[in-house]
Amino acid sequence: MTETTAGSDWQAWQHSWDRQQEWYMPDREERFRVMLDMVEALVGPEPRVLDLACGTGSITARLLRRLPGATSVGVDQDPALLTIAEGTFASDERVTLVTADLKDPGWTRRLPHSSYDAVLTGNVR
Ligand SMILES: C[S@@+](CC[C@H](N)C(=O)[O-])C[C@H]1O[C@@H](n2cnc3c(N)ncnc32)[C@H](O)[C@@H]1O
């Protein structure tokens, strides 16, 4: 039987995205874990994080599961992936999503804050 992902089942979209990304990077989950180990060790349990090229918000989701007191600003330029992120975090005040092209020299002007405790990213291409 073929599994499909449709409509606004955001968790299903996230699961589908994770499976696709893990095909390219089998140790992706371990990389995320180590990344968050570093954040927690260096800046504590309530960091303000910038999730660069956030896609569907995979890093942000893991951040908030592990450190519920964290906040995250996710930046990406892909409208489809940002739609999944917006659906996933719609009622979560800890998350802000920003549409921006990181190649645009003025992209930081779109951010809500001028400083962050940690800047995270994974697999930008
Ligand atoms: C392979 S995905 C990784 C997404 C997410 N970090 C993850 O690990 O699931 C790469 C992301 O980089 C974003 N990206 C690539 N170039 C970008 C640019 N110039 N500005 C903003 N986002 C960009 C893409 O839209 C995509 O969401």
Side-chain angles (χ1 to χ4, degrees):
M1 195 165 79
T2 306
E3 272 185 60
T4 60
T5 301
S8 58
D9 183 346
W10 306 116
Q11 287 313 315
W13 282 109
Q14 293 289 356
H15 184 61
S16 172
W17 174 255
D18 284 342
R19 279 198 331 240
Q20 189 228 34
Q21 291 297 301
E22 283 160 6
W23 191 88
Y24 295 108
M25 191 184 285
D27 62 350
R28 177 172 179 261
E29 210 59 54
E30 179 67 0
R31 288 172 184 243
F32 288 163
R33 188 187 63 73
V34 171
M35 201 183 275
L36 296 178
D37 283 347
M38 297 293 287
V39 172
E40 188 172 14
L42 293 173
V43 292
E46 297 187 352
R48 178 195 284 166
V49 167
L50 182 58
D51 181 357
L52 279 190
C54 64
T56 64
S58 303
I59 292 173
T60 290
R62 285 152 182 81
L63 168 76
L64 298 178
R65 271 205 298 274
R66 175 160 168 171
L67 303 174
T71 56
S72 180
V73 175
V75 182
D76 205 283
Q77 66 174 358
D78 186 304
L81 298 179
L82 281 172
T83 296
I84 298 172
E86 281 159 8
T88 302
F89 302 110
S91 56
D92 196 328
E93 293 179 351
R94 298 170 297 178
V95 180
T96 305
L97 295 163
V98 173
T99 302
D101 179 354
L102 298 172
K103 290 183 186 146
D104 173 357
W107 72 270
T108 55
R109 285 199 291 271
R110 294 174 176 261
L111 298 179
H113 311 290
S114 58
S115 69
Y116 294 84
D117 298 312
V119 180
L120 306 179
T121 194
N123 194 17
V124 180
R125 62 187 139 109

